[in-house]
Amino acid sequence: MSALVLASKSVTRSKLLRNAGLDFTAQPARVDEESIKIGMHAEGAKPIEAAQALADLKAARISPNWPDAFVVGADQILECDGVWFDKPESISAAQGQLASLSGRTHHLHTAAAVAKDGTVIWRDSAHATLTMRTLDDAAIASYLASAGDTVLESVGAYQLEGLGVQLFAAVQGDFFSILGLPLLPLLNFLRGHGVVPA
C-alpha cells in the first residue's frame, strides 16, 4: 500500500484523517501563503483559484521528498464582501475578525490536491456559506475567553466543531470542507488508488 503524506501543519486536517482511520505522515510545506494570496487577490483571482493554487503548491513541493507516496495539500480562504481573511495572529486580531463577521454572511472556499512524484494528479474544491449571529463585544470576549488560543488555528477565528458553532445562525455546505478538507471526495480518490481499503 502506498504511503500517504499530509503537507500541512493543520491540527484539524490531521485529526480528520486520523479519525477516518488513515495512517499518514505530516510534513508541512514551506510556502509563503500570504504573498501568494496578496498577489493573486491583486490580480483579480477568485478566492477558490488562490486556494487551489496553494493546495497544488503545497502538495507538489513536498511530493519529491516522498517517492511513490500520495501527498495531500489543502488550503482554505474565507471571503466576506470581497475581503479575504487569514488566520488571526493574536487574540486581539481574532476579536477584530469576529467583529467584522458579526451579523454578516461569509464564504469559505476550500481546495485540496494530491501529488505523486512531483505532479498533481487530483484536485477538488468546495464552497460553504455561513451566516454569523450578531455579536456584541461582550459575546465575542466571552467566546474568545472560553475557546482560548485554538481560535488562532482557523480562518475567521472560529472552529465550527466546537464552541464556534454557537456563533452562527445558519450554515450551508459540507461539514468536513468547512473544517478545511473535502474529506469524502479525498477518501474516494484514495480508495480508488488502493491507499484506503475498499
Side-chain angles (χ1 to χ4, degrees):
M1 186 175 290
S2 297
L4 181 65
V5 178
L6 176 63
S8 173
K9 63 180 179 181
S10 167
V11 174
T12 301
R13 290 188 184 111
S14 287
K15 188 174 181 179
L16 287 174
L17 294 180
R18 196 162 42 248
N19 287 350
L22 273 63
D23 184 19
F24 66 96
T25 300
Q27 183 181 347
R30 293 184 178 180
V31 174
D32 188 352
E33 295 186 38
E34 185 176 357
S35 293
I36 292 170
K37 288 178 182 177
I38 290 172
M40 293 191 73
H41 195 198
E43 293 169 3
K46 296 178 180 178
I48 194 59
E49 293 171 339
Q52 190 67 67
L54 284 164
D56 289 2
L57 180 59
K58 292 172 185 177
R61 182 156 293 178
I62 293 299
S63 183
N65 301 335
W66 296 85
D68 297 323
F70 290 84
V71 179
V72 179
D75 195 75
Q76 184 177 63
I77 292 178
L78 186 159
E79 180 269 326
C80 185
D81 293 336
V83 177
W84 296 7
F85 287 70
D86 287 316
K87 294 177 182 177
E89 296 182 354
S90 64
I91 293 297
S92 176
Q95 187 168 8
Q97 285 194 4
L98 291 172
S100 295
L101 297 173
S102 172
R104 303 168 74 188
T105 296
H106 65 265
H107 305 277
L108 280 177
H109 306 274
T110 306
V114 174
K116 188 174 183 184
D117 298 321
T119 301
V120 174
I121 59 173
W122 177 86
R123 293 180 177 90
D124 193 77
S125 60
H127 306 269
T129 301
L130 301 88
T131 301
M132 194 171 283
R133 297 188 303 110
T134 299
L135 306 168
D136 59 23
D137 290 345
I140 292 173
S142 176
Y143 164 69
L144 291 173
S146 297
D149 289 344
T150 59
V151 301
L152 306 181
E153 298 171 8
S154 60
V155 294
Y158 60 79
Q159 292 177 309
L160 201 68
E161 70 273 29
L163 287 174
V165 72
Q166 296 276 5
L167 305 177
F168 289 91
V171 174
Q172 294 177 310
D174 174 66
F175 181 69
F176 300 114
S177 295
I178 291 171
L179 299 191
L181 192 64
L183 184 60
L184 296 180
L186 176 62
L187 290 175
N188 284 336
F189 170 80
L190 295 175
R191 197 174 292 114
H193 286 77
V195 183
V196 177

